[in-house]
């Protein structure tokens, strides 16, 4: 069924790198969600009123919110697929995260309101009327939501969408919520205890948990996350595969939605090579990164003097740095000689979870270097990594 819908409504559906195909898949996800949730909402509210079950009515109201969230998801996909303009030069891709976050807030509001209703049900209990048709409606709802979760999971994997994955999380929460409503309805046949109110609270907690989980998944991309390790490894391997590149550092990548990544890095090149030759190599690398990884990147050249003395001093300092902090790394090492002293100038990347302060680190490195030779002075710039 899922494959049939995708093949029927999305031409060239396998070409998910194409923004138009991706938008159509997201649109299909939203449209199917709207239609299915409206059907479930209407049927549950009708049978909830017949059976006087607050948990079934609440479950139906939750489906109406799901229909609204699917509309938000649909609009989000339409906007995120728009090309860049003067006001938004990096495109509109992050709207997808905003739509997922809006969905999460709708879910939380629904959960809080359901808790209030369930507590009131404890104070003013009302007998739930058992109904076989209502049971069948709830069972159908569970199966329908299970299918919708798998359907959206398939699309979410195809287009790597935070918004669609949020809908999957919401669907799983709905399955748990409807299961609670079903339990309450069946129990009403055997007991007068307020099982319906208890299950209403359970449903509310499940809904709230789903909302919080979606917020966690969307706040990261909105605030800014480190790039995936696989992306970093592929990028570093690609850059280092070119002759004339001896090292890279200061990699920064910014994501503005799917396939909209911009970044920069520093590439170390030998200082004794013609600058025009190095510049040509850098241009080739930038184009190849764009072609293979889809990343718009700007590369800064760092000329490195690597004679025998510089190499020996660099190894000496590197050993001291790693002894003080094993996870630290060093780059941009230079030696500047003077009549009375020699400056050893370099940058160090300290891990964010390092227990040592920057000032203490600099002091300890300088002390260890001076033990080697009192004429050595260190000029250290502390960097922080923006990649994993």
């Amino acid at each position: 069924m899922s494959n049939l819908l995708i093949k029927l409504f999305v031409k060239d559906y396998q070409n998910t790198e194409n923004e138009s195909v991706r938008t159509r898949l997201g649109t299909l996800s939203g449209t199917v969600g709207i239609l299915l949730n409206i059907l479930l909402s209407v049927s549950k509210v009708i049978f909830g009123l017949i059976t006087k079950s607050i948990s079934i009515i609440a479950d139906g109201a939750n489906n109406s919110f799901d229909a609204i969230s699917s509309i938000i998801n649909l609009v989000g996909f339409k906007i995120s697929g728009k090309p860049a303009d003067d006001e938004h030069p990096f495109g509109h891709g992050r709207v997808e995260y905003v739509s997922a976050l809006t969905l999460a807030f709708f879910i939380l509001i629904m959960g809080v309101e359901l808790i209030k209703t369930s507590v009131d049900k404890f104070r003013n209990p009302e007998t739930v009327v058992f109904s076989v048709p209502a049971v069948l409606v709830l069972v159908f709802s569970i199966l329908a939501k299970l299918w919708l979760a798998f359907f959206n999971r398939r699309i979410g994997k195809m287009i790597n969408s935070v918004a669609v994955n949020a809908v999957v999380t919401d669907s799983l929460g709905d399955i748990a919520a409807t299961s609670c409503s079903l339990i309450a309805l069946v129990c009403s046949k055997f007991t007068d205890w307020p099982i319906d109110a208890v299950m209403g609270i359970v449903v509310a907690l499940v809904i709230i948990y789903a909302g919080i989980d979606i917020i966690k998944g969307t706040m990261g991309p909105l605030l800014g996350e480190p790039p995936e390790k696989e992306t970093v490894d592929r990028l570093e391997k690609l850059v280092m595969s070119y002759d004339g590149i001896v090292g890279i550092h200061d990699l920064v990548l910014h994501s503005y939605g799917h396939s909209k990544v911009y970044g920069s890095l520093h590439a170390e090149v030998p200082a004794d090579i013609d600058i025009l030759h190095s510049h040509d190599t850098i241009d080739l690398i930038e184009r190849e990164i764009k072609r293979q990884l889809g990343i718009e990147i700007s590369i800064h050249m760092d000329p490195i003097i690597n004679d025998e003395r510089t190499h020996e001093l660099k190894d000496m300092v590197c050993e001291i740095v790693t002894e003080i902090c094993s996870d630290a790394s060093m780059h941009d090492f230079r030696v500047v000689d003077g009549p009375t002293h020699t400056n050893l100038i370099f940058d160090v990347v300290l891990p964010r979870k390092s227990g040592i302060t920057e000032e203490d680190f600099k002091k300890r490195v300088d002390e260890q270097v001076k033990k080697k030779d009192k004429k050595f002075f260190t000029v250290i710039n502390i960097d922080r990594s923006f990649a994993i």
Side-chain angles (χ1 to χ4, degrees):
M1 182 66 173
S2 298
N3 290 336
L4 178 62
L5 284 174
I6 292 171
K7 291 178 181 178
L8 190 61
F9 290 100
V10 183
K11 184 180 178 181
D12 197 22
Y13 66 92
Q14 293 177 324
N15 185 20
T16 53
E17 293 302 316
N18 185 301
E19 196 63 37
S20 175
V21 172
R22 188 174 186 275
T23 300
R24 290 201 300 273
L25 284 167
T27 301
L28 177 63
S29 167
T31 304
V32 171
I34 292 168
L35 296 175
L36 184 59
N37 280 304
I38 289 175
L39 173 64
L40 294 177
S41 177
V42 171
S43 59
K44 286 179 185 176
V45 169
I46 290 173
F47 282 98
L49 292 172
I50 293 172
T51 59
K52 299 180 181 180
S53 170
I54 187 65
S55 61
I56 294 179
I57 294 172
D59 202 12
N62 182 41
N63 286 136
S64 67
F65 271 98
D66 291 340
I68 294 172
S69 67
S70 293
I71 294 172
I72 294 171
N73 192 29
L74 189 61
V75 173
F77 260 101
K78 289 289 186 182
I79 297 175
S80 66
K82 289 173 61 179
D85 52 35
D86 291 341
E87 290 76 25
H88 307 93
F90 296 103
H92 301 78
R94 285 184 177 175
V95 171
E96 191 177 325
Y97 305 136
V98 176
S99 65
L101 194 61
T102 305
L103 163 62
F105 285 126
F106 268 105
I107 291 171
L108 290 178
I109 292 171
M110 179 64 195
V112 171
E113 288 299 318
L114 180 52
I115 286 179
K116 291 180 182 178
T117 306
S118 299
V119 170
D120 184 63
K121 187 79 169 180
F122 269 115
R123 295 171 182 166
N124 305 292
E126 189 174 350
T127 304
V128 176
V129 180
F130 178 81
S131 166
V132 173
V135 171
L136 295 177
V137 167
L138 293 180
V139 171
F140 170 76
S141 175
I142 292 171
L143 295 175
K145 278 291 185 175
L146 190 61
W147 173 82
L148 187 63
F150 280 111
F151 175 69
N152 283 312
R153 186 168 179 266
R154 170 87 192 279
I155 291 181
K157 278 189 173 183
M158 289 174 68
I159 62 178
N160 190 24
S161 168
V162 172
V164 175
N165 289 334
V167 175
V168 175
T169 302
D170 185 37
S171 294
L172 294 175
D174 289 341
I175 292 169
T178 305
S179 298
C180 289
S181 299
L182 180 61
I183 292 170
L185 184 61
V186 172
C187 288
S188 69
K189 187 174 175 62
F190 305 101
T191 179
D192 292 331
W193 287 5
I195 301 296
D196 187 46
V198 174
M199 287 302 173
I201 292 176
V202 173
V203 169
L205 293 176
V206 171
I207 290 171
I208 290 172
Y209 177 82
I212 293 172
D213 194 49
I214 293 171
I215 290 174
K216 287 180 181 178
T218 54
M219 287 302 293
L222 281 173
L223 293 174
E225 293 179 315
E228 294 180 357
K229 188 176 186 303
E230 180 186 359
T231 301
V232 174
D233 291 343
R234 287 182 63 193
L235 193 149
E236 290 181 347
K237 184 179 179 180
L238 176 58
V239 176
M240 293 302 297
S241 68
Y242 282 78
D243 292 335
I245 305 296
V246 296
I248 65 172
H249 56 87
D250 288 349
L251 171 64
V252 179
L253 295 177
H254 298 285
S255 173
Y256 288 86
H258 179 76
S259 300
K260 295 180 180 68
V261 181
Y262 301 83
S264 63
L265 66 83
H266 289 215
E268 297 175 354
V269 299
D272 55 356
I273 291 182
D274 185 349
I275 190 171
L276 292 177
H277 183 275
S278 294
H279 185 271
D280 184 65
T281 300
I282 294 297
D283 278 347
L284 290 175
I285 295 172
E286 288 175 340
R287 293 192 190 98
E288 196 61 21
I289 289 174
K290 170 65 176 177
R291 188 185 71 83
Q292 290 193 29
L293 304 179
I295 299 173
E296 295 275 3
I297 199 159
S298 176
I299 300 179
H300 172 80
M301 286 191 305
D302 281 341
I304 300 296
I305 297 174
N306 200 23
D307 56 30
E308 186 175 348
R309 178 168 175 266
T310 301
H311 186 72
E312 290 176 355
L313 290 175
K314 181 180 179 181
D315 286 346
M316 177 196 75
V317 174
C318 187
E319 185 178 347
I320 291 171
V321 166
T322 52
E323 282 180 359
I324 295 172
C325 181
S326 59
D327 294 328
S329 61
M330 188 178 74
H331 58 266
D332 277 356
F333 185 85
R334 288 172 288 154
V335 179
V336 179
D337 290 306
T340 60
H341 66 278
T342 297
N343 283 333
L344 306 180
I345 306 170
F346 54 94
D347 292 1
V348 173
V349 178
L350 276 180
R352 295 184 186 278
K353 294 182 180 180
S354 172
I356 187 171
T357 65
E358 294 183 10
E359 290 305 316
D360 188 34
F361 178 82
K362 290 179 181 180
K363 180 180 177 182
R364 289 173 62 181
V365 170
D366 193 64
E367 288 174 351
Q368 293 299 318
V369 167
K370 279 186 168 58
K371 287 181 180 179
K372 303 291 184 179
D373 192 324
K374 291 184 179 180
K375 292 200 310 180
F376 289 150
F377 284 77
T378 59
V379 181
I380 307 172
N381 177 57
I382 301 296
D383 284 343
R384 297 292 178 176
S385 176
F386 294 98
I388 296 175

